[in-house]
Amino acid sequence: MSVQEFLNEQNTKIKSLHQNITNASWMAQTTGEKEWAQKVAEAQTEFRTHFSNPEAFQAIQKFLTETELTDLERRQLESLLSTFRENQLPKDILKELSQLSAELNHMFNTYEPEVNGKKLSANDIRNILLNSMDLQEREDAWKASKEVGKVVEEKLLTLVKTRNEAAKAVGYANYHEMSFENQELDREEVFSIFQKLIDLSDSTFRQLKNQLDEELAAKFGIAVSELRPWHYVDPFFQEAPASEETNLDPYFKGQDIEKLTADTFAAMNIPIEDLYAKSDMDPRPGKNPTAFCMDMDRNGDTRVLCNNQPNAYWMGTMLHEFGHAAYFKYLDNELPYILRSPAHTLTTEAIAMLFGKMTENKEWLETFVKLDKDRLETLAPALEKYEQLKMLIAGRWIITFVFFEKELYENPDQDLNALWWKLVKDIQLVNPPEDRNLPDWAAKIHFTLAPVYYQNYLLGELTSAQLHQHIKNEVSEQFFNPTVGNFLNEQFFKPGSKYHWNEKIERVTGQKLNPQYFVDAYCK
């Protein structure tokens, strides 16, 4: 069989297997029904079983030694190699991995904590932490947000250990090490960049965090030393609380955030409103309480799940998720199926983050929310400082998660509860609750749903900062116009995964990923 015949066969088979997973996953996430969770497990097992074929794996290795390969052939083979390599496992292990993951996802999607006999949704908890002045209510809501950790801990640790066994079976020390290699990421380099970001941002972050803590202590009538995780606006301290001045919620009250999202992308000649028809954007019991974007068929059927409310958080989330959606929609559908996806998770996160933070952008607020210039000029300095605080808080949170996840896979039998709070205290500067020995870390769904993924959020932010600066310097000072949209479409979206992610960034911006753009923007 020639290399082209082999690739044609793989593209056809993978297309079918991939669509079986996305169809079942969408139904599982939107209905919460256990039968769909089971179908996801079955589809994932079938997918993994295809990639466990040792003859196909050997054929890929052999083809890669040939010198007459085209760039497109080589790139497809490299992509296949990673997926085949991690699935060279017995069928029973592949089935167990898929089954555990599907069961855990179902548990996350359907678990609702109770406080004083009342069930609380994720939005309820968010609203309490955003708005309540009742300290007991805040503490109860925060603790409720962690209850799912106790529910999933045992099964999640079983999944972590099974993933490690699978990685060891194919020659890696653990699943974390394997995942970094298969994502074309240098583990040492990424962790070095993240430690450097902690060091370079330390004085700025401590100064801004001290100011925030003083404001919160005054607001709640307590000493700074008494602040605990429930005094912040997010259960994991992922986000910066808006001040009265930077709280943009009033501007979105009564607004149609779906229309604002559609108008944003339409202004750039990358319309996405046609994707609303199959998306699921209103909250209801049983569906996934968070938000995500799913490319169903790599041929235009892209869907977004949200739980929208008319506020700044969900406005930013809509822009973020439809940033992903625009990337998926405008991939070149002439590319082979294997390459008809973003160059890397971090490149699609870069686009999502670029759009997601536009809710604090002067140009966006003036153009789409129609804020008058005088109000914007008054708001601008506070919004700029707020964005800096948001980015540094988000960066510290991502690093906390990433450092913990590495330790989780290197030694899942250690005292993970204590390790979690040590990292939260050291990196995020958040005081742990007293005498708490519970698996609060396990309440974060990404350990289950998207293992060894979180580093891509921060790498995406670094890419986003570099891309945004390049656009301002070389493409257009104004962002929301067809010139920028066409640039993103042609240079960033359309090539799919034809190139290694860092080559792609270099082709678009003129240099490989350079963290200095993020440092210059947010660490001054």
Side-chain angles (χ1 to χ4, degrees):
M1 186 185 291
S2 71
V3 67
Q4 197 53 59
E5 288 169 335
F6 176 81
L7 289 171
N8 288 343
E9 186 179 274
Q10 289 297 321
N11 274 288
T12 301
K13 185 62 177 173
I14 290 166
K15 178 180 178 180
S16 170
L17 293 167
H18 174 250
Q19 290 176 20
N20 287 345
I21 291 175
T22 57
N23 289 328
S25 295
W26 180 257
M27 293 303 295
Q29 301 292 348
T30 55
T31 68
E33 292 172 6
K34 198 155 193 178
E35 67 174 286
W36 284 110
Q38 184 57 39
K39 286 179 181 177
V40 171
E42 290 165 6
Q44 287 178 336
T45 299
E46 191 181 0
F47 184 85
R48 286 174 171 272
T49 301
H50 169 76
F51 285 102
S52 69
N53 184 319
E55 290 80 16
F57 182 49
Q58 288 163 11
I60 292 163
Q61 293 171 306
K62 181 174 177 295
F63 284 134
L64 278 168
T65 64
E66 295 182 7
T67 55
E68 301 299 314
L69 294 173
T70 66
D71 291 344
L72 217 55
E73 287 169 345
R74 183 169 296 281
R75 192 70 187 133
Q76 287 176 84
L77 289 167
E78 288 169 348
S79 175
L80 287 171
L81 183 69
S82 296
T83 316
F84 269 94
R85 182 167 51 209
E86 69 182 3
N87 285 292
Q88 295 302 296
L89 298 165
K91 190 171 181 179
D92 59 332
I93 293 181
L94 295 171
K95 185 175 181 179
E96 185 181 2
L97 286 166
S98 299
Q99 191 67 40
L100 283 167
S101 182
E103 288 170 8
L104 281 159
N105 278 318
H106 179 73
M107 291 161 78
F108 269 105
N109 288 346
T110 56
Y111 183 80
E112 283 188 302
E114 283 190 20
V115 174
N116 299 323
K118 182 190 173 188
K119 286 187 174 181
L120 294 182
S121 69
N123 272 335
D124 292 333
I125 290 168
R126 172 172 293 282
N127 287 334
I128 290 168
L129 293 180
L130 271 173
N131 301 311
S132 179
M133 290 297 294
D134 182 329
L135 297 188
Q136 190 60 53
E137 182 182 39
R138 297 184 68 88
E139 182 175 345
D140 290 346
W142 181 87
K143 287 179 176 175
S145 76
K146 304 299 182 199
E147 281 180 17
V148 71
K150 288 183 285 184
V151 174
V152 302
E153 179 194 22
E154 185 180 352
K155 198 178 285 280
L156 178 52
L157 285 173
T158 301
L159 176 57
V160 165
K161 290 174 181 179
T162 307
R163 285 171 176 161
N164 272 348
E165 287 169 22
K168 285 173 184 169
V170 292
Y172 293 92
N174 56 59
Y175 181 81
H176 192 274
E177 180 188 281
M178 179 181 78
S179 296
F180 261 69
E181 180 164 326
N182 287 339
Q183 292 178 54
E184 299 182 315
L185 294 173
D186 182 322
R187 216 162 52 139
E188 196 174 312
E189 181 184 16
V190 169
F191 277 78
S192 172
I193 287 172
F194 287 4
Q195 185 59 54
K196 190 177 177 185
L197 287 174
I198 290 177
D199 297 341
L200 289 172
S201 67
D202 205 54
S203 61
T204 305
F205 180 67
R206 286 178 184 277
Q207 179 191 346
L208 292 174
K209 174 73 166 44
N210 285 341
Q211 289 173 12
L212 170 62
D213 285 352
E214 286 166 10
E215 289 167 11
L216 290 174
K219 175 182 173 180
F220 294 122
I222 59 177
V224 168
S225 61
E226 294 177 282
L227 287 172
R228 293 297 178 269
W230 46 85
H231 295 116
Y232 302 97
V233 296
D234 178 271
F236 286 98
F237 192 44
Q238 291 178 239
E239 298 165 26
S243 65
E244 197 170 326
E245 195 175 8
T246 58
N247 180 9
L248 298 176
D249 282 351
Y251 300 111
F252 297 108
K253 196 172 182 181
Q255 289 269 21
D256 184 343
I257 64 174
E258 292 177 19
K259 184 177 186 305
L260 288 171
T261 304
D263 289 349
T264 300
F265 288 92
M268 302 178 73
N269 197 34
I270 43 176
I272 47 76
E273 193 170 10
D274 58 308
L275 304 179
Y276 286 3
K278 291 185 176 179
S279 291
D280 187 335
M281 297 185 284
D282 295 321
R284 67 173 187 282
K287 70 181 275 193
N288 185 311
T290 61
F292 63 81
C293 177
M294 188 179 289
D295 188 353
M296 301 295 291
D297 63 357
R298 301 186 184 180
N299 196 35
D301 184 1
T302 297
R303 304 179 193 179
V304 166
L305 179 143
C306 280
N307 287 272
N308 286 342
Q309 294 187 345
N311 58 35
Y313 172 82
W314 283 106
M315 182 72 252
T317 301
M318 280 286 284
L319 290 170
H320 178 104
E321 296 303 340
F322 278 96
H324 285 303
Y327 198 153
F328 295 148
K329 178 181 174 181
Y330 293 102
L331 290 163
D332 183 359
N333 63 11
E334 296 297 315
L335 284 169
Y337 195 86
I338 292 167
L339 301 182
R340 211 180 305 157
S341 63
H344 195 279
T345 303
L346 71 88
T347 61
T348 182
E349 289 300 343
I351 295 299
M353 287 158 171
L354 184 60
F355 281 96
K357 63 170 72 90
M358 289 302 174
T359 48
E360 285 99 37
N361 177 276
K362 270 174 67 177
E363 183 192 348
W364 188 84
L365 288 166
E366 182 180 358
T367 306
F368 301 102
V369 187
K370 310 298 183 190
L371 286 195
D372 65 74
K373 285 192 176 180
D374 289 345
R375 181 76 187 114
L376 273 172
E377 288 306 316
T378 308
L379 271 175
L383 284 176
E384 191 175 322
K385 185 178 176 184
Y386 178 49
E387 188 187 350
Q388 181 184 28
L389 180 62
K390 274 181 73 171
M391 293 307 302
L392 292 180
I393 285 175
R396 291 287 176 125
W397 153 246
I398 293 166
I399 292 170
T400 299
F401 185 103
V402 170
F403 281 17
F404 177 85
E405 190 171 38
K406 180 172 182 280
E407 293 278 342
L408 169 66
Y409 281 100
E410 289 186 346
N411 181 9
D413 291 317
Q414 66 183 298
D415 186 345
L416 295 166
N417 302 347
L419 172 66
W420 176 255
W421 282 110
K422 180 182 186 305
L423 290 171
V424 168
K425 187 172 191 221
D426 291 350
I427 299 171
Q428 294 181 275
L429 310 183
V430 172
N431 292 323
E434 283 78 10
D435 304 320
R436 188 168 175 87
N437 182 24
L438 291 167
D440 297 327
W441 58 274
K444 197 66 184 168
I445 194 172
H446 292 73
F447 289 115
T448 296
L449 186 62
V452 197
Y453 182 104
Y454 231 78
Q455 67 280 350
N456 294 309
Y457 289 127
L458 190 48
L459 293 170
E461 289 289 11
L462 303 183
T463 305
S464 177
Q466 184 169 330
L467 178 62
H468 198 190
Q469 193 59 49
H470 175 78
I471 288 169
K472 283 200 283 190
N473 290 348
E474 305 295 336
V475 181
S476 169
E477 280 194 27
Q478 301 299 309
F479 189 82
F480 299 100
N481 58 59
T483 302
V484 174
N486 293 339
F487 168 78
L488 289 173
N489 193 358
E490 292 296 322
Q491 301 297 317
F492 213 92
F493 303 162
K494 204 171 180 182
S497 52
K498 272 169 72 172
Y499 311 112
H500 181 281
W501 63 267
N502 220 351
E503 181 185 348
K504 190 246 186 54
I505 292 170
E506 184 176 25
R507 283 171 173 269
V508 175
T509 68
Q511 58 181 303
K512 286 186 163 66
L513 182 61
N514 182 353
Q516 194 61 43
Y517 290 98
F518 182 91
V519 171
D520 291 344
Y522 302 113
C523 301
K524 54 197 175 188

